[in-house]
């Protein structure tokens, strides 16, 4: 079995890579390797051309039928009909291309274009080169503030700590070593003699040999896996695809049936039957639906963009509304990715800094000041033009100092550090020595156990007293209690010495100390997240934490956020990556519904978790910001990346990017997604009920041998009534209880929730009313002459059908609730659209020059009164049916 780089001895590694541990590669060898292996950069996925995006818009069965109908209409001399159909199809395609390109440009704007530099040793000399020019075998120097330019095997380490949260999920910087690791398969977070590409050096320095570049690095392998991964179809895409198939089969069946009946029973000419079939196709296909869906989604996208949610793919707007599960990374997503002092131990008691005036008493205030002074002196953070730079633990101490001891901080920072003993993992201590008026001041910080074993006294009030056994036991217990809360605890101590040694030694400087106190820190949760989690739960959505951090830390944060409940069994609800590896897919499938927190997981684990839920038919959303999140973002039904702290790999993998990194924006997106789906349902109910009415009317007219509505009539109705009112329905406000409803999940579709039956009975009702008006016009004509009587009847049926469809737009605002409630007309765009459509519909009859174009006659007031009364009847009947449903069947 081939050894991993962390298991290989330094000398053997240098031999294998044909490099030198002191001199590095020669410039000639480096140039040759660069030429052979290419640049140290991630390969970007090739983007689609505008033409390709445009062509993709036509890969839909309904669009294909419409194009065929347009072609046949053109052949039969109905160029107006053909142009109408083509215009709608092309407009829809342009909408889709525009939004896709707009989203891609916005994502590109988030990328950082600067190429990082790397310090490399070649021919024994250090030089700065673009990181893209590094090759395997290069000897690279790292210092605090550097970004690791490639995957390195460390060969010389001096107090190096690296922040790897973006790759491993570990919120605390990892202390690195140059020693060989002999353990078997180690997780990335435990490979402590390796530094990975894109990680940040926060402390110390090191030398390392490049063992992987570009797509061969850990980051590159994840990026490569993403590029080969299939796109996940969203519920919206699946619903529209299924609906297209059903409508297509129905259209073909009805058109064929009509042709057969008309030919064999009515002896209709073939050309007339072809035009009737085209009328049926135009009537049955909601040609405006793709455009309406696109516009509704685009409007939702625009609203979300104003709330810091950037949508890369239009269907993603709706998908969040169907989400059952949200799997979220912890570091930087649920938490602030910033260590913060949360509690301190002073004078033998734990002080919670979240309370108002935690150091209100004089004794505590004096003790806190003393602790703050020692924090500032025993600290390597640096103040720069860009802000505070250093180890997150140490910058957290300075933040504490600035809050509680601001007047003293600047003074303390001016003191000259005379000597120091740097931190190391064996002692777990750091010591600094400063000059004082009468003696030299020694400050020590480190692990509480290490400090307590070296303490002789304790600082109490303004005096020093001996540390008793009771004191020691009390401090040890408090340390354990804080650790159980997943807080990282540091102890601080000091002493004075009369003479400055030639060289500071641990045995002398770190003995007989005086204990000052403890500091307990954590990467805290974002303040708004707990409320967002509660809202998600109220909406029937299950939030999960999936992190590379330690189980104890993960469980503590999850408990504080409400992801874990107080009565949850931690053995069942918290699972590590190692425990997950031991489970078969069948066993994991049985456990997955119990687990709410996954800790110490690798990227493959995250994908497995997402897929396990998908196997149960759940719609899964994955949020995250790190490279380690990217595969799961891609595999999930919708991936949500962070725009500020997120890596470019995660952004490319995601369907949506949160520009403000605010978890609460996800809840806003869910609400918006539910509203978008509801509004698409309204538009769909409106369109399909209208189209069904047209189909039934045309089919029945054919059976009865009546004059059939011409294709241009149907197209005008669809163009005038189905566009603006349907778009206006997409602007309807969210239902008041939208976030108290359970997720509809993958099994739901646009016809769920009573929409399907409503389409059928409302469509049949409209057709019955239209046919009744036509029959009445024939039975009680205003004019003599067969042609004129049929012309009036056809005109009245045409106008009734168009006006009634628009009136029915009020009904579809709710499937079961009344459409005539107090908020029915609060959507001003809907009101204007309805008024404009009504006037446009009536214009073709009222304006006489338009009559021949649309094959209509000019109606008199009596005929208009019948048309208007019949059109308004739809509201009366539908309101009555809804009342019966609510009263006797408990609907809505």
């Amino acid at each position: 079995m081939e050894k991993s780089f962390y298991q290989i001895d330094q000398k053997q590694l240098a031999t294998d890579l044909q490099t030198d541990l002191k001199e590095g590669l020669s410039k000639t060898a480096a140039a040759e390797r660069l030429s052979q292996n290419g640049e140290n950069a991630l390969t970007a996925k090739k983007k689609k051309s505008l033409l390709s995006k445009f062509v993709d818009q036509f890969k839909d069965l309904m669009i294909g039928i419409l194009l065929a109908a347009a072609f046949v209409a053109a052949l039969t001399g109905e160029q107006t009909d053909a142009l109408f159909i083509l215009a709608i199809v092309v407009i829809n395609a342009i909408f889709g291309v525009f939004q896709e390109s707009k989203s891609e440009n916005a994502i590109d704007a988030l990328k950082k274009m600067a190429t990082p530099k790397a310090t490399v040793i070649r021919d024994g000399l250090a030089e700065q080169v673009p990181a893209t020019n590094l090759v395997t075998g290069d000897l690279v120097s790292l210092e605090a503030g550097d970004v690791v330019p490639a995957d390195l095997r460390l060969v010389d380490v001096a107090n190096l700590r690296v922040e790897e949260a973006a790759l491993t999920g570990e919120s605390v910087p990892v202390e690195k070593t140059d020693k060989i690791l002999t353990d078997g398969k180690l997780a990335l977070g435990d490979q402590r003699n390796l530094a990975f590409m894109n990680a940040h050096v926060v402390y110390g320095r090191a030398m390392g040999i490049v063992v992987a570049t570009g797509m061969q690095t850990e980051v590159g392998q994840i990026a490569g896996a993403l590029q080969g991964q299939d796109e996940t179809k969203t519920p919206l895409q699946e619903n529209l695809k299924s609906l297209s198939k059903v409508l297509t089969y129905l259209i073909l069946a009805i058109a064929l049936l009509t042709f057969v009946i008309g030919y064999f029973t009515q002896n209709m000419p073939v050309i007339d039957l072809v035009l009737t079939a085209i009328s049926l196709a135009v009537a049955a296909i909601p040609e405006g639906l793709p455009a309406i869906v696109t516009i509704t989604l685009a409007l939702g996208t625009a609203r979300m963009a104003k709330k810091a949610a950037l949508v890369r793919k239009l269907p993603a707007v709706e998908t969040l509304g169907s989400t059952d599960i949200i799997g979220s990374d912890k570091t930087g997503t649920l938490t602030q990715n910033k260590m913060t002092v949360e509690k301190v131990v002073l004078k033998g008691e734990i002080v919670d800094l979240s309370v108002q005036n935690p150091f209100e008493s004089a004794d505590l205030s004096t003790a806190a000041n003393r602790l703050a002074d020692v924090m500032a002196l025993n600290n390597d953070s640096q103040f720069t033009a860009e802000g505070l730079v250093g180890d997150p633990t140490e910058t957290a101490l300075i933040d504490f100092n600035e809050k509680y001891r601001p007047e003293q901080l600047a003074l303390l920072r001016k003191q000259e550090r005379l000597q120091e003993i740097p931190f190391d993992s064996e002692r777990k201590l750091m010591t600094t020595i400063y000059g004082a008026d009468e003696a030299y001041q020694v400050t020590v910080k480190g692990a509480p156990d290490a400090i307590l074993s070296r303490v002789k006294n304790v600082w109490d009030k303004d005096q020093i007293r001996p540390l008793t056994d009771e004191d020691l036991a009390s401090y040890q217990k408090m340390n354990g209690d804080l650790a159980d809360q997943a807080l990282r605890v540091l102890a601080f101590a000091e002493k004075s010495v009369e003479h400055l040694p030639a060289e500071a030694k641990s045995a002398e400087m770190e003995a007989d100390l005086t204990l000052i106190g403890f500091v307990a820190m954590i990467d805290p949760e974002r303040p708004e997240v707990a409320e967002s989690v509660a809202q998600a739960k109220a909406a029937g959505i299950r939030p999960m934490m999936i992190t590379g951090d330690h189980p104890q830390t993960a469980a503590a944060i999850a408990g504080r956020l409400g992801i874990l409940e107080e009565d949850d069994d931690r053995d069942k609800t918290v699972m590590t990556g190692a425990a997950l590896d031991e489970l078969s897919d069948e066993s994991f499938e049985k456990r997955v519904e119990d687990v709410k927190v996954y800790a110490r997981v690798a990227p493959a684990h995250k994908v497995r978790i997402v897929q396990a839920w998908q196997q149960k038919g759940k719609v899964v959303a994955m949020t995250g910001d790190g490279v380690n999140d990217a595969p799961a973002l891609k595999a999930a039904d919708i991936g949500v990346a962070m725009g500020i702290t997120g890596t470019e790999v995660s952004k490319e993998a995601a369907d949506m990017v949160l520009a403000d990194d605010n978890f609460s924006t996800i809840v806003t997106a869910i609400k918006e997604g539910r509203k978008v789906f509801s509004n698409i349902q309204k538009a769909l109910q409106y369109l399909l009920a209208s189209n069904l009415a047209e189909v039934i009317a045309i089919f029945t007219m054919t059976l009865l041998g009546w004059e059939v509505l011409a294709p241009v009539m149907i197209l005008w109705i669809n163009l005038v009534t189905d566009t603006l009112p349907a778009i206006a329905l997409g602007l309807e406000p969210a239902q008041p209880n939208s976030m108290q409803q359970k997720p509809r999940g993958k099994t739901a579709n646009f016809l769920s929730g009573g929409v399907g039956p409503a389409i059928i009975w409302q469509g049949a009702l409209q057709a019955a009313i239209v046919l009744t008006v036509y029959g009445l016009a024939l039975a009680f004509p205003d004019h003599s002459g067969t042609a004129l009587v049929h012309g009036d009847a056809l005109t009245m049926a045409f106008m009734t059908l168009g006006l009634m469809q628009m009136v029915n737009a009020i009904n579809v605002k709710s499937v079961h609730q009344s459409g005539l409630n107090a908020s029915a007309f609060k959507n001003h765009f809907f009101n204007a659209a309805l008024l404009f459509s009504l006037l446009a519909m009536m214009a073709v009859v009222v304006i006489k020059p338009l009559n021949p174009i649309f094959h209509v006659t000019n109606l008199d007031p009596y005929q208009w009164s019948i048309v208007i009364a019949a059109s308004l009847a739809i509201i009366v009947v539908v309101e009555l049916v809804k009342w019966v449903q609510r009263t006797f069947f408990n609907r809505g």
Side-chain angles (χ1 to χ4, degrees), residues 427-446:
R427 291 173 25 258
K428 297 181 180 178
L429 298 173
M430 172 182 171
T431 297
T432 63
I433 304 174
Y434 291 84
D437 295 337
E438 299 178 357
Y440 295 96
Q441 183 181 6
V442 179
T443 69
V444 184
K445 80 162 179 267

Side-chain angles (χ1 to χ4, degrees), residues 151 428 831 843 856:
D151 284 2
K428 297 181 180 178
N831 301 338
V856 296

Side-chain angles (χ1 to χ4, degrees), residues 17 164 197 263 695 782 836:
L17 296 179
E164 298 176 337
M197 186 178 188
Y263 186 77
V695 170
D782 258 17
F836 175 83

Side-chain angles (χ1 to χ4, degrees), residues 483-600:
D484 288 342
Q485 299 172 42
L487 296 168
R488 188 182 184 197
V489 187
L490 285 179
F492 290 83
E494 67 173 348
K495 71 174 183 178
S496 296
V497 296
E498 294 183 359
H499 304 288
L500 185 69
E503 181 182 355
K505 298 289 183 68
S506 174
E508 180 183 356
M509 293 293 105
E510 296 174 346
D512 299 331
L513 301 174
T514 298
L515 179 66
I516 306 298
F518 293 169
V519 168
M521 292 174 286
I522 199 168
D523 176 14
E525 69 275 15
R526 290 178 177 268
E528 70 281 353
V529 170
E531 176 62 26
S532 300
V533 168
Q535 289 183 36
K537 284 185 171 183
I541 300 164
R542 177 174 181 150
M544 297 186 308
M545 180 189 291
I546 307 175
T547 178
D549 215 336
H550 294 282
Q552 190 178 21
T553 304
I557 293 294
R560 291 160 63 149
L561 291 174
I563 294 175
L564 285 178
E565 307 286 350
E566 287 186 14
D567 56 352
D568 280 340
D569 183 347
R570 296 297 194 265
D571 291 335
K572 290 184 178 180
T573 54
V574 180
M575 180 182 287
T576 64
L580 179 55
D581 283 332
E582 295 176 0
L583 296 177
S584 64
D585 289 342
E586 294 76 16
S587 299
F588 180 45
E589 187 175 340
K590 294 177 182 177
R591 288 279 315 272
V592 69
E593 294 188 15
D594 295 328
V595 184
K596 298 179 180 179
V597 174
Y598 294 88
R600 271 304 193 205

Side-chain angles (χ1 to χ4, degrees), residues 36-111:
Q36 291 172 357
N37 303 321
E39 288 189 339
N40 173 36
L42 301 184
T43 304
K45 188 174 182 179
K46 189 176 180 180
K47 292 183 178 180
K48 290 182 181 179
S49 65
L50 276 176
L51 179 61
S52 177
K53 292 175 186 174
F54 187 74
V55 171
D56 284 346
Q57 308 301 316
F58 294 90
K59 295 178 180 178
D60 182 273
L61 204 53
M62 282 201 302
I63 298 298
I65 290 180
L66 280 175
L67 291 174
F71 179 71
V72 174
L75 289 180
T76 55
E78 298 293 335
Q79 281 80 11
T80 303
D81 294 355
L83 288 174
F84 266 123
I85 298 171
L86 284 174
I88 290 172
V89 170
V90 171
I91 289 170
N92 171 61
I94 292 172
F95 263 120
V97 172
F98 173 75
Q99 182 59 37
E100 192 173 340
S101 300
K102 180 181 176 183
S103 297
E104 282 187 359
N105 292 337
I107 292 296
D108 290 340
L110 291 172
K111 294 183 177 179

